[in-house]
Amino acid sequence: MRRQGIALDGPEGQAVLVEIVFQMLEALEQDLSNPDICILALRFERDAAQAALELLSAANFADGARDLGVLGDAMVLIFAALQAATGDRADAMEILQHSAFARPGRAFQWAAAQLQLLMQEDSRGVMQRLFEMTLDGLDHPEIWPALGAVTAHFPDLIDAIAPLLEDELGFYTEFWGVIHALCVAASGEPARGWALLAPLATAHSQSTMTQGACFHIQSLLDPGNPIYDLESRFCTLPFDVFEVLDGKTHLCCASWLPESAGNLAEQSWEAVWNSDSAQSIRTSILDGSFRHCNKTACPKIAGGTLPQKAELASEAERWRDIIGNFRTRSETPPQRINLAYDQTCNLSCPSCRTGKVAADSATRARFDRLQDEQILPLLRHARLVLVTGSGDPFASKNFRNLLDRLGPEDYPDLRFQIMTNGMLFTPREWTRFPSLHGRVAYLRISLDAATGPTHELLRRGARWKTMEENLAFARDLRAAGAIDRLEFSFTVQTENYREMGMLVDMAHSYGADHIAFGRLTNWGTFSAEEYAAKAVFSTSHPQHGDFIEAMQDGRLRDRIAGLNDLGQFVRSSRA
């Protein structure tokens, strides 16, 4: 404009500015994440940017008060970019952060994150901002797609990150390793990005951020696969479930949703149920980010079985209200309670413990208080109670006492989900717990094998002959209708993956309704090296090719076989 002799404060200059800004606005309204428009706005000279801002303010804020809430998404982005172009990056950042908090839609979240990074002066600034934006350790699916434009705008970014991968502090090595892999993938090399990320994914199998990065790069490798589009999906569990561990409480299985909502030993269940953490978790479901979830471990996410929001909303008024009104506070008490606070078990399976665990007298007294003061009152509101995902219900004195106390007289609407290793599930034990009779929604027996030698190796302390006898008893109960559903679980690892198909045959012979297959989780039992040796599902494992072949066993397509987080290996091998 200066070269043409047009003054910014004159009528002609203002008309030109208005035309330019509105062309940019139209382009952003078509594609909020269009980086070229934001980069163009960031390149405005300071006086031109200031003049454009004054025109926009006059047009949008009649009373002089800057109320960003009245602006459309595209206008907010233009406003922030021009503010940064004036040199006031701090105010531009505040605009974006405030607006992102108030606008949960994925498109705006992505565009706002992208602009925050693009407005940095150099790669070092980008790295600092990335660190600040992801320091919470959660998944950030609104940031990862922005890295394509960012790496293109800052071509030295990947090289600038590389020296940090040798940092001696483990967290920073993981953090920058993940960011480095994501940037490589975003720059047009998703396969190389995955190769860089895979070892980190194995070493940090319970890291929400690392596993979220895996999920994102897998989406780049398999574009168009609907399982990676979570924005339209919904999970009911954080609105229904309490998982009570020793010292913390989760709104789902802790290996799928590591964030704790609180501690029942110190807080009322009502306070935990609607804590800030609980509401943040529900927000992530409603906004479609699922940022608190371990996306590769959750069987519903990894298996692509989460329901559509629209379907749920059409089926039930409760979900229609929660989804439609973005309700993060639940007035309905938890309906499904998973009691996993006592790890006492008759076995010492290496997949979850290094030795046999039995609560001592002081611990049992603490658990008894928890049961009296919190668990029993909580269960009066519940429909289902799961005992237990932490040990064995028939080995724990606390859980045995609880089962005795949950009779139909006091808890007429309560049903049970029993998880056991099966070694103590005998006819004699069954007769000792009449409270279970006719009230078991499902009995799940963890096997991890289809042959005696493998079972006794992985279920340390078990005896296969006893297991066969108890499985036959469970089959008879199922056939008689004494339990509604019989399930087996099978944690896949190097020692047993060849027996997956065999277990399907075995499950049919015992009348099982379902098998829950799933990857081995590192609960801290293994070192990184030990876990890597067992994680046959990792692409870097020497037997991974054989594992892929095993996954093609036709028996794994049987209706009773639930592949959960292993389903991708069937899909990828078919391709």
Side-chain angles (χ1 to χ4, degrees):
M1 291 171 64
R2 283 200 186 91
R3 286 196 297 268
Q4 297 176 3
I6 300 174
L8 288 173
D9 56 355
E12 186 178 1
Q14 292 191 357
V16 171
L17 271 180
V18 168
E19 179 63 24
I20 292 172
V21 169
F22 276 92
Q23 285 183 11
M24 294 165 60
L25 185 62
E26 287 180 358
L28 274 185
E29 285 174 342
Q30 294 178 13
D31 179 8
L32 278 180
S33 60
N34 185 336
D36 296 334
I37 302 303
C38 290
I39 291 170
L40 177 61
L42 290 169
R43 287 176 175 168
F44 269 43
E45 292 185 2
R46 181 171 299 190
D47 54 351
Q50 186 61 50
L53 280 174
E54 290 172 0
L55 288 171
L56 290 176
S57 296
N60 291 282
F61 309 131
D63 59 359
R66 190 176 77 177
D67 180 7
L68 298 173
V70 304
L71 302 182
D73 290 348
M75 183 65 82
V76 169
L77 295 172
I78 292 289
F79 208 97
L82 291 172
Q83 192 70 46
T86 68
D88 194 349
R89 283 189 172 84
D91 189 46
M93 198 72 70
E94 184 178 341
I95 290 171
L96 291 172
Q97 291 173 327
H98 175 80
S99 298
F101 180 79
R103 301 166 192 249
R106 176 66 62 83
F108 183 82
Q109 294 279 323
W110 172 0
Q114 180 175 265
L115 181 51
Q116 288 186 58
L117 296 170
L118 290 174
M119 70 170 60
Q120 303 305 313
E121 292 186 357
D122 53 28
S123 290
R124 286 290 172 184
V126 172
M127 292 163 63
Q128 177 64 31
R129 187 66 195 129
L130 275 171
F131 185 77
E132 293 167 352
M133 294 168 78
T134 59
L135 190 57
D136 55 15
L138 301 177
D139 184 25
H140 285 275
E142 78 284 4
I143 296 177
W144 312 150
L147 294 177
V150 174
T151 54
H153 192 60
F154 298 96
D156 63 334
L157 178 61
I158 292 173
D159 290 339
I161 294 173
L164 300 178
L165 304 182
E166 304 302 322
D167 195 298
E168 294 181 0
L169 297 176
F171 168 77
Y172 295 104
T173 302
E174 177 196 357
F175 175 83
W176 288 115
V178 169
I179 296 298
H180 183 252
L182 285 164
C183 287
V184 169
S187 69
E189 297 185 85
R192 188 163 80 89
W194 175 249
L196 292 168
L197 186 60
L200 287 169
T202 302
H204 304 280
S205 61
Q206 290 192 280
S207 165
T208 304
M209 177 177 169
T210 302
Q211 299 309 314
C214 290
F215 192 77
H216 175 70
I217 293 181
Q218 287 166 356
S219 75
L220 299 180
L221 292 168
D222 191 11
N225 190 327
I227 73 168
Y228 299 111
D229 178 14
L230 297 180
E231 191 171 9
S232 63
R233 302 280 181 170
F234 192 78
C235 180
T236 62
L237 297 186
F239 299 83
D240 263 350
V241 170
F242 241 15
E243 175 166 290
V244 184
L245 278 66
D246 185 10
K248 53 185 180 177
T249 305
H250 296 254
L251 304 188
C252 183
C253 172
S255 64
W256 306 339
L257 183 61
E259 178 88 8
S260 172
N263 184 355
L264 274 188
E266 300 173 353
Q267 303 165 271
S268 68
W269 70 261
E270 293 93 341
V272 175
W273 185 232
N274 281 308
S275 66
D276 289 345
S277 293
Q279 294 193 61
S280 178
I281 289 166
R282 295 186 189 118
T283 294
S284 76
I285 305 301
L286 288 163
D287 68 21
S289 69
F290 290 77
R291 69 179 71 256
H292 293 273
C293 302
N294 184 330
K295 290 185 170 73
T296 62
C298 170
K300 292 182 179 293
I301 293 177
T305 60
L306 284 172
Q308 293 282 346
K309 289 176 180 174
E311 292 175 4
L312 276 178
S314 67
E315 292 172 0
E317 173 59 32
R318 182 190 176 205
W319 301 122
R320 183 159 55 251
D321 175 57
I322 288 172
I323 294 168
N325 294 300
F326 210 89
R327 297 198 188 280
T328 61
R329 182 177 179 84
S330 178
E331 303 304 329
T332 303
Q335 298 297 292
R336 288 180 280 177
I337 314 299
N338 179 6
L339 301 179
Y341 54 84
D342 189 352
Q343 296 186 53
T344 298
C345 191
N346 52 306
L347 302 183
S348 58
C349 306
S351 58
C352 65
R353 60 198 69 206
T354 56
K356 202 166 184 178
V357 176
D360 58 26
S361 58
T363 302
R364 289 199 304 272
R366 180 162 54 84
F367 289 162
D368 289 345
R369 287 194 300 273
L370 178 67
Q371 183 181 130
D372 289 339
E373 296 171 7
Q374 295 277 30
I375 302 302
L376 289 172
L378 178 61
L379 289 176
R380 293 193 181 279
H381 303 281
R383 293 181 290 107
L384 289 167
V385 57
L386 191 156
V387 191
T388 172
S390 59
D392 194 275
F394 303 107
S396 162
K397 291 184 178 181
N398 181 273
F399 287 145
R400 291 175 70 90
N401 179 50
L402 179 70
L403 294 178
D404 271 337
R405 300 174 75 180
L406 295 178
E409 301 82 9
D410 295 324
Y411 297 86
D413 299 322
L414 187 66
R415 294 180 64 75
F416 295 89
Q417 299 176 332
I418 300 298
M419 293 182 66
T420 173
N421 57 53
M423 295 306 297
L424 299 177
F425 191 75
T426 63
R428 181 180 177 184
E429 284 292 273
W430 179 254
T431 60
R432 288 180 175 176
F433 295 99
S435 61
L436 296 177
H437 298 180
R439 302 172 71 203
V440 176
Y442 77 66
L443 169 68
R444 177 175 289 184
I445 299 175
S446 55
L447 287 170
D448 293 358
T451 64
T454 303
H455 183 261
E456 293 181 4
L457 172 69
L458 297 179
R459 315 300 288 174
R460 196 162 48 204
R463 293 293 177 266
W464 185 244
K465 184 176 184 301
T466 302
M467 176 58 72
E468 290 180 314
E469 293 170 354
N470 293 348
L471 289 175
F473 174 59
R475 175 190 60 204
D476 294 343
L477 289 177
R478 176 69 180 92
I483 58 176
D484 292 351
R485 188 174 171 88
L486 175 61
E487 299 185 356
F488 297 157
S489 64
F490 188 104
T491 301
V492 175
Q493 51 201 289
T494 301
E495 293 84 353
N496 67 2
Y497 70 90
R498 292 184 176 88
E499 297 184 13
M500 295 176 69
M502 296 167 60
L503 184 66
V504 176
D505 292 336
M506 179 177 148
H508 278 297
S509 72
Y510 284 108
D513 298 277
H514 182 73
I515 307 169
F517 290 104
R519 305 183 200 186
L520 176 71
T521 296
N522 188 2
W523 297 102
T525 309
F526 307 110
S527 67
E529 293 75 17
E530 290 170 336
Y531 182 70
K534 286 181 169 289
V536 69
F537 37 81
S538 170
T539 54
S540 59
H541 194 283
Q543 294 182 42
H544 185 70
D546 294 335
F547 164 72
I548 292 295
E549 287 301 313
M551 288 299 303
Q552 309 324 302
D553 189 324
R555 291 172 291 186
L556 297 181
R557 277 54 158 200
D558 192 288
R559 61 176 179 78
I560 70 170
L563 297 181
N564 299 311
D565 57 4
L566 298 166
Q568 70 182 87
F569 299 109
V570 175
R571 289 190 294 271
S572 63
S573 58
R574 283 175 176 169

